[in-house]
Amino acid sequence: MKRWVGPLRAAAAASGPCSESGGFRTRFDFGSRDAASWFPGHMAKGLRQMRASLRRADCLVEVHDLHIPLSGRNPVLQEVLGIRPHLLVLNKMDLADPRQQSVILEQLRQQGCSHVVFTDCQRDSNVKKIVPLVAKLVSSSPRYHRAESTEYSIMVIGVPNVGKSSLINSLRRLHLKKGKATAVGGEPGITRAVLTRIQVCETPLVYLVDTPGVLPPKLADVETGMKLALCGAIHDHLVGEDIMADYLLYILNQQQQFGYMERYGLPEASDNIRHVLKYVAVTLGKTQKVKVLTGTGNVNMMMLNYSAAAYEFLRAFRAGRLGRLTLD
């Protein structure tokens, strides 16, 4: 799919001053943007299949991105959480601010979410806690028509690109010493349909069902949509990499995370996205050939590619190269 980046001049104009002219923005101007609705056909189909499969599930494991522990959890999924025992797995703990964990736990408890595990599924950190906790939750809850079954059937749910498939693969590595059972990708929409059951543990016998990421049919507000997009839950081109990069810069400055200065060679922190992306483009060699019409004919010139720089700025954040951030 072709990546689209809108004009950066408008974003730069809205960016506010550089730090040398008196501080950073205290609010982000989203302009007249509406909260995008992104609910493709495979999401609607996946949600229907999930609801139909609920009857066979002993427990729901909801996976969410620790960058946004409070934002973007799908209210459509929340509707079904009261039906079965529920465990919230906040993944990508290696990329989020560890100082925020106690505050996050308290806020989630106030929302009625009392069973939470922080994980890094790429390195299997804390993943071993999940099966014993699931077993405890299931054994202390009524299983109705599944009361005679000795195996546990767990449904894994969440918005796109939060690490559901990575969690399943991590559990298989830890408990079965086996490799990937489900595809993993950094783009939303890798898992397109509710899959068959995947064994992740022998004792107790545990099967997980991976499900497609499902976004809310209508996002609560523009900022929630922007946070989801920064975390890769919405395709970049639907929001615009220019505005996403600008919002990311706003958050970095608000949280005094100035690692981008050293990474891209800026002499000081800046609140002007075009200024920052110029340094990104120069540092990474992001240029493009542009044909210029002159009085003597066409001339090819090399210019900085701000679109490619914005894309690389977002990639650096997602890989944790700009510091450990919690967006909420």
Side-chain angles (χ1 to χ4, degrees):
M1 188 178 287
K2 186 177 179 182
R3 197 173 72 249
W4 176 87
V5 180
L8 275 159
R9 293 187 187 279
S15 294
C18 299
S19 58
E20 64 267 26
S21 56
F24 301 116
R25 290 167 285 182
T26 56
R27 54 180 287 277
F28 188 83
D29 182 10
F30 292 101
S32 58
R33 290 172 183 267
D34 290 325
S37 175
W38 190 57
F39 200 73
H42 78 269
M43 285 192 178
K45 179 183 177 184
L47 190 56
R48 285 195 302 271
Q49 289 180 319
M50 285 161 59
R51 282 176 167 148
S53 301
L54 262 177
R55 208 168 160 272
R56 300 188 296 275
D58 294 307
C59 181
L60 298 178
V61 172
E62 180 189 3
V63 185
H64 202 58
D65 192 326
L66 187 50
H67 282 118
I68 46 171
L70 308 173
S71 293
R73 288 175 62 203
N74 192 334
V76 176
L77 299 178
Q78 302 290 308
E79 294 171 9
V80 301
L81 295 185
I83 301 172
R84 294 285 184 272
H86 168 243
L87 172 64
L88 175 62
V89 173
L90 289 173
N91 192 33
K92 306 184 184 180
M93 62 182 280
D94 56 312
L95 304 178
D97 187 347
R99 298 169 297 178
Q100 300 295 323
Q101 289 188 10
S102 58
V103 177
I104 290 165
L105 281 174
E106 181 55 36
Q107 289 184 280
L108 288 169
R109 283 194 191 101
Q110 291 175 11
Q111 296 174 11
C113 188
S114 54
H115 304 292
V116 181
V117 176
F118 299 104
T119 64
D120 169 10
C121 291
Q122 297 301 318
R123 298 175 181 83
D124 300 334
S125 302
N126 280 357
V127 176
K128 274 196 171 180
K129 295 179 179 179
I130 292 174
V131 168
L133 187 49
V134 164
K136 182 180 176 182
L137 287 173
V138 173
S139 64
S140 60
S141 304
R143 297 183 72 192
Y144 305 108
H145 62 285
R146 290 186 51 79
E148 302 301 317
S149 177
T150 57
E151 65 184 45
Y152 297 150
S153 182
I154 313 302
M155 182 176 286
V156 182
I157 61 176
V159 300
N161 203 31
V162 290
K164 296 183 296 296
S165 298
S166 295
L167 173 64
I168 289 176
N169 293 332
S170 176
L171 286 166
R172 282 174 62 83
R173 279 195 303 271
L174 286 169
H175 295 287
L176 299 177
K177 310 301 180 191
K178 292 191 177 178
K180 291 183 180 180
T182 182
V184 176
E187 289 287 323
I190 295 295
T191 305
R192 287 300 183 102
V194 177
L195 303 177
T196 54
R197 298 191 312 159
I198 301 165
Q199 184 182 350
V200 294
C201 189
E202 190 71 48
T203 308
L205 186 55
V206 178
Y207 290 91
L208 295 191
V209 177
D210 194 11
T211 64
V214 179
L215 283 169
K218 183 69 176 176
L219 296 174
D221 53 60
V222 179
E223 189 156 20
T224 296
M226 193 66 71
K227 290 177 181 179
L228 283 164
L230 278 182
C231 294
I234 300 174
H235 284 291
D236 294 348
H237 72 277
L238 294 174
V239 179
E241 286 155 339
D242 54 353
I243 189 81
M244 289 169 62
D246 193 20
Y247 181 72
L248 173 58
L249 178 63
Y250 162 76
I251 292 289
L252 288 167
N253 289 333
Q254 283 288 305
Q255 298 194 16
Q256 299 187 345
Q257 293 269 16
F258 301 126
Y260 66 87
M261 291 168 48
E262 182 179 353
R263 182 170 182 80
Y264 301 116
L266 275 81
E268 58 188 335
S270 173
D271 219 11
N272 186 305
I273 188 59
R274 191 169 180 85
H275 178 70
V276 171
L277 291 182
K278 182 173 98 171
Y279 278 87
V280 175
V282 169
T283 301
L284 301 179
K286 297 298 177 183
T287 58
Q288 58 185 340
K289 190 179 290 186
V290 178
K291 189 174 289 186
V292 178
L293 182 62
T294 69
T296 57
N298 294 339
V299 177
N300 289 326
M301 295 181 62
M302 296 301 293
M303 300 184 67
L304 295 178
N305 189 335
Y306 286 90
S307 301
Y311 175 67
E312 293 298 334
F313 193 51
L314 295 174
R315 283 187 63 194
F317 158 70
R318 289 167 182 162
R321 293 193 286 268
L322 301 180
R324 298 178 68 174
L325 278 176
T326 298
L327 303 179
D328 285 336

